[in-house]
Amino acid sequence: MACGAPVLTTHRTSLPEVGGDAVAYTEPDAGSIAAALGHLLASPERRKQLQEAGLARAREFTWDASAEAHLSSYQRAIE
């Protein structure tokens, strides 16, 4: 995402939390991945949309945001 590449991933683990609406999702089997890749290859508009959304989403992940999230977690643990 941070490089401007459209991202295709699955709904597994924490990937949706990271990708949000800025990535395309598929099931983790070969047929689903092939179909989703084919759709992206055939759709320059969708690739452009994912590129722009991915760049914007990646900018949300900063060291300052990470530090704030950690401090907030530590504060909740203390309380």
Side-chain angles (χ1 to χ4, degrees):
M1 287 189 315
C3 295
V7 173
L8 175 67
T9 190
T10 68
H11 289 283
R12 304 295 194 260
T13 64
S14 65
L15 297 174
E17 182 180 342
V18 174
D21 293 332
V23 303
Y25 292 98
T26 187
E27 293 301 318
D29 62 87
S32 296
I33 294 168
L37 282 173
H39 175 72
L40 285 177
L41 289 171
S43 178
E45 300 86 17
R46 179 70 172 140
R47 290 194 313 270
K48 179 73 170 164
Q49 176 191 32
L50 290 173
Q51 177 187 32
E52 292 170 0
L55 286 168
R57 179 76 174 160
R59 285 192 294 272
E60 295 176 25
F61 296 97
T62 65
W63 285 112
D64 287 340
S66 177
E68 287 178 27
H70 281 85
L71 289 173
S72 176
S73 294
Y74 298 149
Q75 187 62 41
R76 284 193 312 273
I78 291 169
E79 294 169 357

